[in-house]
Structure formats: C-alpha cells, structure tokens
Amino acid sequence: EIFCELMVMIKGTIGGMKTLVWASLLVSLPLYAVSILFRETLGVYEAKGHGAENFATVPEAFFTIFQCTVASECADHMGRPIFALVAAEYGWAYAFIFCIVEVLMSFGLFNVVVAIF
C-alpha cells in the first residue's frame, strides 16, 4: 500500500512506451527519406565541402537532418550554418527542400505527437 502511487506511475510509463515508439518511428521515417535524398544528391560532392561533407553517408545524413530538425542545431564543425553553405554552393533548391521539411515536421508532425501525449 505504501508504493501504490509508484506502481500507478510505473504502469503509466510502461503503457506510454508503445506510443513513444510509434511517435519516434513517425518522426524518423520522413527524416530518413530526406536523408537518403540528400545523400544521393549532395553526398557525391563530399570532397568539395561547403556543407556536402555532412551528407557523405546515409547515417551521417540522417544525423545531420535529425540534428537540424529536432535539436535545431544546424551548424558544421566550424559553426557555419550548413544549409546556408549548401544553398550558396549547390543551389537554393536544397535549402528550399530543407525548409519544407522543417515546416512540415515542426508545425505538422510535432504538434500531432505533442497532442498524443
């Protein structure tokens, strides 16, 4: 009886894990698709630099997109904004795609995930 409230909290946490896993999957799939797109288009310019080195492999591209979208930290190792470098060197279309993804993830998907919890 002493730990009744604790058991209720533990059962609630375990019950919420299923929702958390689905929410993580729902966030990860669009980011993974965009990371594959940027790997196939920007990754070939890895040797030129100017932000493309962040998309050399699919895991590195996924981490970069995840970091930019979820953590809002989108700078290279020298502190320069990655997509400003990419847009200046490789064209505005990459920055436009990133902005569309950012808006859809921030306003669309994250609001749905927050509403679930």
Side-chain angles (χ1 to χ4, degrees):
E1 289 193 27
I2 295 174
F3 298 109
C4 183
E5 290 85 11
L6 178 62
M7 291 306 294
V8 169
M9 290 174 62
I10 291 173
K11 287 179 184 178
T13 302
I14 292 171
M17 292 302 253
K18 181 180 175 184
T19 306
L20 183 63
V21 167
W22 283 112
S24 298
L25 185 68
L26 191 63
V27 169
S28 297
L29 285 178
L31 295 181
Y32 186 69
V34 172
S35 66
I36 290 174
L37 173 72
F38 283 155
R39 163 55 195 110
E40 291 299 315
T41 56
L42 285 173
V44 296
Y45 300 115
E46 171 194 2
K48 286 180 69 175
H50 302 285
E53 66 274 4
N54 295 300
F55 303 99
T57 63
V58 173
E60 194 171 3
F62 181 76
F63 179 72
T64 301
I65 295 296
F66 179 83
Q67 183 179 3
C68 290
T69 304
V70 176
S72 297
E73 178 61 37
C74 198
D76 64 0
H77 64 283
M78 295 175 58
R80 300 174 300 181
I82 292 172
F83 281 96
L85 294 171
V86 168
E89 183 68 24
Y90 306 108
W92 61 270
Y94 296 108
F96 181 74
I97 291 170
F98 174 72
C99 288
I100 294 296
V101 169
E102 183 73 26
V103 166
L104 291 177
M105 293 296 289
S106 296
F107 297 121
L109 194 56
F110 288 158
N111 284 335
V112 170
V113 170
V114 169
I116 291 172
F117 289 104

Coordinates of all heavy atoms in Angstrom, one line a residue, residues 4-68:
C4 N 1.7 2.3 -3.7 CA 0.6 2.2 -4.7 C 0.7 3.3 -5.8 O 0.5 3.0 -6.9 CB -0.7 2.4 -3.9 SG -2.2 2.2 -5.0
E5 N 1.0 4.5 -5.4 CA 1.1 5.6 -6.4 C 2.3 5.3 -7.3 O 2.3 5.7 -8.5 CB 1.3 6.9 -5.6 CG 0.0 7.4 -5.0 CD -0.1 6.9 -3.6 OE1 0.9 6.3 -3.0 OE2 -1.2 7.0 -3.0
L6 N 3.4 4.8 -6.7 CA 4.6 4.5 -7.5 C 4.2 3.4 -8.6 O 4.7 3.5 -9.7 CB 5.7 4.0 -6.6 CG 7.0 3.6 -7.4 CD1 7.6 4.8 -8.1 CD2 8.0 3.0 -6.4
M7 N 3.5 2.4 -8.2 CA 3.1 1.4 -9.2 C 2.2 2.0 -10.3 O 2.3 1.6 -11.4 CB 2.4 0.2 -8.4 CG 3.3 -0.6 -7.5 SD 4.8 -1.2 -8.4 CE 4.1 -2.3 -9.5
V8 N 1.3 2.9 -9.9 CA 0.5 3.5 -10.9 C 1.4 4.3 -11.9 O 1.2 4.3 -13.1 CB -0.5 4.5 -10.3 CG1 -1.2 5.3 -11.3 CG2 -1.6 3.7 -9.5
M9 N 2.4 5.0 -11.4 CA 3.3 5.7 -12.3 C 4.1 4.8 -13.2 O 4.3 5.1 -14.4 CB 4.2 6.6 -11.4 CG 3.5 7.8 -10.8 SD 4.6 8.7 -9.6 CE 5.9 9.3 -10.7
I10 N 4.6 3.7 -12.6 CA 5.3 2.7 -13.4 C 4.5 2.1 -14.5 O 4.9 2.0 -15.7 CB 6.0 1.7 -12.5 CG1 7.1 2.3 -11.7 CG2 6.5 0.5 -13.3 CD1 7.6 1.4 -10.6
K11 N 3.2 1.8 -14.2 CA 2.3 1.2 -15.2 C 2.0 2.2 -16.3 O 1.9 1.9 -17.4 CB 1.0 0.7 -14.5 CG 1.2 -0.6 -13.7 CD -0.1 -1.0 -13.0 CE 0.2 -2.2 -12.2 NZ -1.1 -2.6 -11.5
G12 N 1.8 3.5 -15.9 CA 1.6 4.5 -16.9 C 2.8 4.7 -17.8 O 2.6 4.9 -19.0
T13 N 4.0 4.6 -17.3 CA 5.2 4.8 -18.1 C 5.3 3.6 -19.1 O 5.6 3.8 -20.2 CB 6.5 4.8 -17.2 OG1 6.3 5.9 -16.3 CG2 7.7 5.0 -18.0
I14 N 5.1 2.4 -18.6 CA 5.2 1.2 -19.5 C 4.1 1.3 -20.5 O 4.3 1.0 -21.7 CB 5.1 -0.1 -18.6 CG1 6.3 -0.2 -17.8 CG2 4.9 -1.3 -19.5 CD1 6.2 -1.3 -16.8
G15 N 2.9 1.8 -20.2 CA 1.8 1.9 -21.2 C 2.1 3.0 -22.2 O 1.7 2.9 -23.4
G16 N 2.8 4.0 -21.8 CA 3.2 5.1 -22.8 C 4.3 4.7 -23.7 O 4.6 5.4 -24.7
M17 N 5.1 3.7 -23.4 CA 6.2 3.3 -24.2 C 5.8 2.9 -25.6 O 6.5 3.2 -26.6 CB 7.0 2.1 -23.6 CG 7.7 2.5 -22.3 SD 8.8 3.8 -22.5 CE 10.3 3.0 -22.4
K18 N 4.6 2.2 -25.8 CA 4.2 1.9 -27.1 C 3.9 3.1 -27.9 O 4.3 3.2 -29.1 CB 2.9 1.0 -27.0 CG 2.3 0.6 -28.3 CD 1.1 -0.2 -28.1 CE 0.4 -0.6 -29.4 NZ -0.8 -1.3 -29.2
T19 N 3.3 4.1 -27.3 CA 3.0 5.4 -28.0 C 4.3 6.1 -28.4 O 4.5 6.6 -29.5 CB 2.1 6.3 -27.2 OG1 0.9 5.5 -26.8 CG2 1.7 7.5 -27.9
L20 N 5.3 6.0 -27.5 CA 6.6 6.7 -27.7 C 7.3 6.0 -28.9 O 7.9 6.7 -29.7 CB 7.4 6.6 -26.4 CG 8.7 7.3 -26.5 CD1 8.6 8.8 -26.7 CD2 9.5 7.1 -25.2
V21 N 7.3 4.7 -28.9 CA 7.9 4.0 -30.0 C 7.3 4.4 -31.4 O 8.0 4.7 -32.3 CB 7.9 2.5 -29.8 CG1 8.3 1.7 -31.1 CG2 8.8 2.1 -28.7
W22 N 6.0 4.4 -31.4 CA 5.3 4.8 -32.7 C 5.5 6.3 -33.0 O 5.7 6.6 -34.2 CB 3.8 4.5 -32.6 CG 3.5 3.1 -32.8 CD1 3.0 2.2 -31.8 CD2 3.7 2.3 -34.0 NE1 2.9 1.0 -32.4 CE2 3.3 1.0 -33.7 CE3 4.1 2.6 -35.3 CZ2 3.3 0.0 -34.6 CZ3 4.2 1.6 -36.2 CH2 3.8 0.3 -35.9
A23 N 5.6 7.1 -32.0 CA 5.9 8.5 -32.3 C 7.3 8.7 -32.8 O 7.6 9.5 -33.8 CB 5.7 9.4 -31.1
S24 N 8.3 8.0 -32.3 CA 9.6 8.0 -32.7 C 9.7 7.5 -34.2 O 10.5 8.1 -35.0 CB 10.5 7.2 -31.9 OG 10.5 7.7 -30.5
L25 N 9.0 6.5 -34.5 CA 9.0 5.9 -35.9 C 8.4 6.9 -36.8 O 8.9 7.2 -37.9 CB 8.2 4.6 -35.9 CG 8.2 3.9 -37.2 CD1 9.6 3.4 -37.6 CD2 7.3 2.8 -37.2
L26 N 7.3 7.6 -36.4 CA 6.6 8.6 -37.2 C 7.5 9.8 -37.5 O 7.5 10.4 -38.6 CB 5.4 9.0 -36.5 CG 4.4 9.9 -37.3 CD1 3.9 9.1 -38.5 CD2 3.2 10.3 -36.5
V27 N 8.4 10.1 -36.6 CA 9.3 11.2 -36.8 C 10.5 10.8 -37.6 O 11.0 11.5 -38.5 CB 9.8 11.8 -35.4 CG1 11.0 12.7 -35.6 CG2 8.7 12.5 -34.7
S28 N 11.0 9.6 -37.4 CA 12.2 9.1 -38.1 C 12.0 8.8 -39.6 O 12.9 9.0 -40.3 CB 12.7 7.8 -37.4 OG 13.0 8.1 -36.1
L29 N 10.8 8.3 -40.0 CA 10.7 7.9 -41.4 C 10.8 9.1 -42.4 O 11.5 8.9 -43.3 CB 9.3 7.2 -41.5 CG 9.3 5.7 -41.0 CD1 8.0 5.1 -41.2 CD2 10.4 4.9 -41.7
P30 N 10.1 10.2 -42.1 CA 10.3 11.3 -43.1 C 11.8 11.8 -43.1 O 12.3 12.2 -44.1 CB 9.3 12.4 -42.6 CG 8.4 11.7 -41.7 CD 9.1 10.5 -41.2
L31 N 12.4 11.9 -41.9 CA 13.8 12.3 -41.8 C 14.7 11.4 -42.6 O 15.6 11.8 -43.2 CB 14.2 12.5 -40.4 CG 13.5 13.6 -39.6 CD1 14.0 13.6 -38.2 CD2 13.6 14.9 -40.2
Y32 N 14.4 10.1 -42.5 CA 15.2 9.1 -43.2 C 15.1 9.2 -44.7 O 16.1 9.2 -45.4 CB 14.8 7.7 -42.7 CG 15.7 6.6 -43.3 CD1 17.0 6.5 -42.9 CD2 15.2 5.7 -44.2 CE1 17.8 5.5 -43.4 CE2 16.0 4.7 -44.7 CZ 17.3 4.6 -44.3 OH 18.1 3.6 -44.8
A33 N 13.9 9.5 -45.1 CA 13.7 9.7 -46.6 C 14.4 10.9 -47.1 O 15.0 10.9 -48.2 CB 12.2 9.8 -46.9
V34 N 14.4 12.0 -46.3 CA 15.1 13.2 -46.7 C 16.6 13.0 -46.7 O 17.3 13.5 -47.5 CB 14.6 14.4 -45.9 CG1 15.5 15.6 -46.1 CG2 13.2 14.7 -46.1
S35 N 17.0 12.2 -45.7 CA 18.5 12.0 -45.6 C 19.0 11.1 -46.8 O 20.1 11.4 -47.3 CB 18.8 11.3 -44.3 OG 18.3 10.0 -44.2
I36 N 18.2 10.2 -47.2 CA 18.5 9.4 -48.4 C 18.6 10.4 -49.6 O 19.5 10.3 -50.5 CB 17.6 8.3 -48.7 CG1 17.8 7.2 -47.6 CG2 17.8 7.6 -50.0 CD1 16.8 6.1 -47.6
L37 N 17.6 11.2 -49.8 CA 17.6 12.2 -50.9 C 18.8 13.1 -50.9 O 19.5 13.2 -51.9 CB 16.3 13.1 -50.8 CG 16.3 14.2 -51.8 CD1 16.0 13.7 -53.2 CD2 15.2 15.2 -51.4
F38 N 19.2 13.6 -49.7 CA 20.4 14.5 -49.6 C 21.7 13.7 -49.8 O 22.6 14.2 -50.3 CB 20.4 15.3 -48.3 CG 19.4 16.4 -48.3 CD1 18.9 16.9 -47.1 CD2 19.0 17.1 -49.5 CE1 18.1 18.0 -47.1 CE2 18.2 18.1 -49.5 CZ 17.7 18.6 -48.3
R39 N 21.7 12.4 -49.3 CA 22.9 11.6 -49.5 C 23.1 11.4 -51.0 O 24.2 11.5 -51.5 CB 22.7 10.3 -48.8 CG 23.7 9.2 -49.2 CD 25.1 9.6 -49.1 NE 25.9 8.6 -49.8 CZ 26.6 8.8 -51.0 NH1 26.5 10.0 -51.5 NH2 27.3 7.9 -51.5
E40 N 22.0 11.1 -51.7 CA 22.2 10.8 -53.2 C 22.5 12.0 -54.0 O 23.1 11.9 -55.1 CB 20.9 10.1 -53.7 CG 20.7 8.7 -53.1 CD 21.9 7.7 -53.5 OE1 22.3 7.7 -54.6 OE2 22.3 7.0 -52.6
T41 N 22.1 13.2 -53.6 CA 22.3 14.4 -54.4 C 23.5 15.2 -53.9 O 24.3 15.6 -54.7 CB 21.0 15.3 -54.3 OG1 20.7 15.6 -53.0 CG2 19.9 14.6 -55.0
L42 N 23.6 15.4 -52.6 CA 24.7 16.2 -52.0 C 25.9 15.3 -51.7 O 27.1 15.8 -51.7 CB 24.3 17.0 -50.8 CG 23.4 18.2 -51.0 CD1 22.9 18.7 -49.7 CD2 24.2 19.2 -51.8
G43 N 25.7 14.1 -51.3 CA 26.8 13.2 -50.9 C 27.9 13.0 -52.0 O 29.1 12.8 -51.6
V44 N 27.5 13.2 -53.2 CA 28.5 13.0 -54.3 C 29.5 14.1 -54.3 O 30.6 14.0 -54.9 CB 27.8 12.8 -55.7 CG1 27.0 11.5 -55.7 CG2 27.0 14.0 -56.0
Y45 N 29.2 15.3 -53.7 CA 30.0 16.4 -53.7 C 30.8 16.5 -52.3 O 31.3 17.6 -52.0 CB 29.2 17.7 -53.8 CG 28.5 17.8 -55.1 CD1 27.1 17.8 -55.1 CD2 29.2 17.9 -56.3 CE1 26.4 17.9 -56.3 CE2 28.5 17.9 -57.5 CZ 27.1 17.9 -57.5 OH 26.4 18.0 -58.7
E46 N 31.0 15.4 -51.7 CA 31.6 15.4 -50.3 C 33.0 16.0 -50.4 O 33.4 16.7 -49.5 CB 31.7 13.9 -49.9 CG 32.5 13.7 -48.6 CD 32.8 12.3 -48.4 OE1 32.5 11.4 -49.2 OE2 33.5 12.0 -47.4
A47 N 33.8 15.7 -51.4 CA 35.1 16.2 -51.5 C 35.2 17.7 -51.6 O 36.2 18.3 -51.2 CB 35.9 15.5 -52.6
K48 N 34.2 18.3 -52.2 CA 34.2 19.8 -52.4 C 33.9 20.5 -51.2 O 34.3 21.7 -51.0 CB 33.1 20.1 -53.5 CG 33.5 19.8 -54.9 CD 32.4 20.2 -55.8 CE 32.2 21.7 -56.0 NZ 31.2 22.1 -57.0
G49 N 33.3 19.9 -50.2 CA 33.0 20.5 -48.9 C 31.8 21.4 -49.0 O 30.8 21.1 -49.7
H50 N 31.8 22.6 -48.4 CA 30.7 23.6 -48.4 C 29.4 23.0 -47.9 O 28.3 23.2 -48.4 CB 30.5 24.2 -49.7 CG 31.7 24.9 -50.3 ND1 32.1 26.1 -49.8 CD2 32.6 24.5 -51.2 CE1 33.2 26.4 -50.5 NE2 33.5 25.5 -51.4
G51 N 29.5 22.1 -46.8 CA 28.3 21.5 -46.2 C 28.0 20.1 -46.8 O 27.3 19.4 -46.1
A52 N 28.5 19.8 -47.9 CA 28.1 18.5 -48.5 C 28.8 17.3 -47.8 O 28.3 16.2 -47.8 CB 28.6 18.5 -50.0
E53 N 29.9 17.6 -47.1 CA 30.6 16.6 -46.3 C 29.7 16.0 -45.2 O 30.0 14.9 -44.7 CB 31.9 17.1 -45.7 CG 31.8 18.1 -44.7 CD 31.7 19.6 -45.2 OE1 31.6 19.7 -46.5 OE2 31.6 20.5 -44.4
N54 N 28.7 16.7 -44.8 CA 27.7 16.2 -43.8 C 26.8 15.2 -44.3 O 26.0 14.7 -43.5 CB 27.0 17.4 -43.2 CG 27.9 18.4 -42.4 OD1 28.6 18.0 -41.5 ND2 27.9 19.6 -42.9
F55 N 26.8 15.0 -45.6 CA 25.8 14.0 -46.2 C 26.6 12.9 -47.0 O 26.1 12.4 -47.9 CB 24.9 14.8 -47.2 CG 24.2 15.9 -46.5 CD1 24.6 17.2 -46.6 CD2 23.0 15.6 -45.7 CE1 23.9 18.2 -45.9 CE2 22.3 16.6 -45.1 CZ 22.8 17.9 -45.2
A56 N 27.8 12.6 -46.5 CA 28.6 11.6 -47.2 C 28.0 10.2 -47.1 O 28.2 9.4 -48.1 CB 30.0 11.6 -46.6
T57 N 27.5 9.8 -46.0 CA 26.8 8.5 -45.8 C 25.4 8.7 -45.4 O 25.0 9.8 -44.9 CB 27.6 7.7 -44.8 OG1 27.5 8.3 -43.5 CG2 29.1 7.5 -45.2
V58 N 24.6 7.7 -45.5 CA 23.2 7.8 -45.0 C 23.1 8.0 -43.5 O 22.3 8.9 -43.1 CB 22.4 6.5 -45.5 CG1 21.0 6.6 -44.9 CG2 22.3 6.5 -47.0
P59 N 23.9 7.3 -42.7 CA 23.8 7.6 -41.2 C 24.2 9.0 -40.9 O 23.6 9.7 -40.1 CB 24.7 6.6 -40.6 CG 24.8 5.5 -41.6 CD 24.7 6.1 -42.9
E60 N 25.2 9.5 -41.6 CA 25.7 10.9 -41.3 C 24.7 11.9 -41.8 O 24.4 12.9 -41.1 CB 27.0 11.1 -42.0 CG 27.7 12.4 -41.5 CD 29.1 12.5 -42.1 OE1 29.6 11.6 -42.8 OE2 29.8 13.5 -41.7
A61 N 24.0 11.6 -42.9 CA 23.0 12.5 -43.5 C 21.8 12.5 -42.5 O 21.2 13.5 -42.3 CB 22.6 12.1 -44.9
F62 N 21.4 11.3 -42.0 CA 20.3 11.2 -41.1 C 20.6 11.9 -39.8 O 19.7 12.7 -39.3 CB 20.0 9.7 -40.8 CG 18.8 9.5 -39.9 CD1 17.5 9.7 -40.3 CD2 19.0 9.2 -38.5 CE1 16.4 9.6 -39.5 CE2 17.9 9.1 -37.7 CZ 16.6 9.2 -38.2
F63 N 21.8 11.8 -39.3 CA 22.1 12.5 -38.1 C 22.1 14.0 -38.3 O 21.6 14.8 -37.5 CB 23.5 12.1 -37.6 CG 23.9 12.8 -36.3 CD1 23.3 12.5 -35.1 CD2 24.9 13.8 -36.4 CE1 23.7 13.2 -34.0 CE2 25.2 14.5 -35.3 CZ 24.6 14.2 -34.0
T64 N 22.6 14.5 -39.5 CA 22.6 15.9 -39.8 C 21.1 16.4 -39.9 O 20.8 17.5 -39.3 CB 23.3 16.2 -41.1 OG1 24.7 15.7 -40.9 CG2 23.3 17.7 -41.4
I65 N 20.3 15.7 -40.6 CA 18.9 16.2 -40.7 C 18.2 16.1 -39.4 O 17.4 17.0 -39.0 CB 18.1 15.3 -41.8 CG1 18.8 15.5 -43.1 CG2 16.7 15.6 -41.8 CD1 18.6 16.9 -43.7
F66 N 18.4 15.0 -38.6 CA 17.8 14.9 -37.3 C 18.3 16.1 -36.4 O 17.5 16.7 -35.7 CB 18.2 13.6 -36.7 CG 17.6 13.4 -35.3 CD1 16.3 12.9 -35.1 CD2 18.4 13.6 -34.2 CE1 15.8 12.7 -33.8 CE2 17.9 13.4 -32.9 CZ 16.6 13.0 -32.7
Q67 N 19.6 16.3 -36.4 CA 20.1 17.4 -35.6 C 19.5 18.8 -36.0 O 19.2 19.6 -35.1 CB 21.6 17.4 -35.7 CG 22.3 18.4 -34.9 CD 23.9 18.3 -35.0 OE1 24.4 17.5 -35.8 NE2 24.6 19.1 -34.3
C68 N 19.4 19.0 -37.3 CA 18.9 20.3 -37.7 C 17.4 20.4 -37.4 O 16.9 21.5 -37.0 CB 19.1 20.4 -39.2 SG 20.8 20.6 -39.7

